[in-house]
């Protein structure tokens, strides 16, 4: 199964439109246009087909986590004493 297949299946399963996927990718500071994104969802024999690389799928999955769960809360450091004078 290729990255394109995984991306397509996630898009269908989560009922995501192209503009939603663009916004999800922007959550991880990854910019892509709708036309570039559409190239991943074409058939392999189409002249405008583009192979989805690992980086794009990884960024989509990271953005999807933020989209579904919300941003990760900031960590508070424990164990450090406060500066008392």
């Amino acid at each position: 199964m290729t990255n394109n297949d995984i991306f397509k299946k996630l898009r269908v399963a989560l009922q995501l439109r192209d503009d939603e996927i663009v916004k999800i990718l922007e959550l991880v500071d990854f910019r892509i246009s709708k036309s570039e994104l559409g190239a991943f969802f074409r058939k392999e024999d189409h002249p405008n087909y583009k192979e989805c690389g690992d980086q794009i799928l990884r960024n989509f999955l990271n953005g999807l986590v933020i989209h579904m769960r919300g941003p990760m809360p900031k960590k508070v450091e424990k164990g450090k004493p406060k500066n008392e004078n």
Side-chain angles (χ1 to χ4, degrees), residues 71-77:
M72 190 172 190
K74 294 184 179 182
K75 293 183 180 179
V76 177
E77 293 185 30

Side-chain angles (χ1 to χ4, degrees), residues 32-60:
I32 191 168
S33 69
K34 286 185 187 180
S35 60
E36 288 176 301
L37 188 62
F40 299 132
F41 302 126
R42 297 186 185 280
K43 291 187 177 186
E44 287 183 33
D45 58 350
H46 193 280
N48 293 336
Y49 170 82
K50 186 174 179 184
E51 194 170 312
C52 179
D54 293 340
Q55 181 183 12
I56 294 167
L57 186 60
R58 180 178 62 244
N59 281 312
F60 172 70

Side-chain angles (χ1 to χ4, degrees), residues 2-22 24-25 32-53 56-57 60:
T2 66
N3 286 347
N4 293 62
D5 294 334
I6 294 168
F7 209 173
K8 286 178 196 176
K9 289 184 183 294
L10 285 170
R11 183 179 122 188
V12 170
L14 298 172
Q15 300 175 349
L16 297 172
R17 296 185 320 263
D18 288 348
D19 58 327
E20 292 173 319
I21 294 172
V22 169
I24 288 170
L25 286 166
I32 191 168
S33 69
K34 286 185 187 180
S35 60
E36 288 176 301
L37 188 62
F40 299 132
F41 302 126
R42 297 186 185 280
K43 291 187 177 186
E44 287 183 33
D45 58 350
H46 193 280
N48 293 336
Y49 170 82
K50 186 174 179 184
E51 194 170 312
C52 179
I56 294 167
L57 186 60
F60 172 70

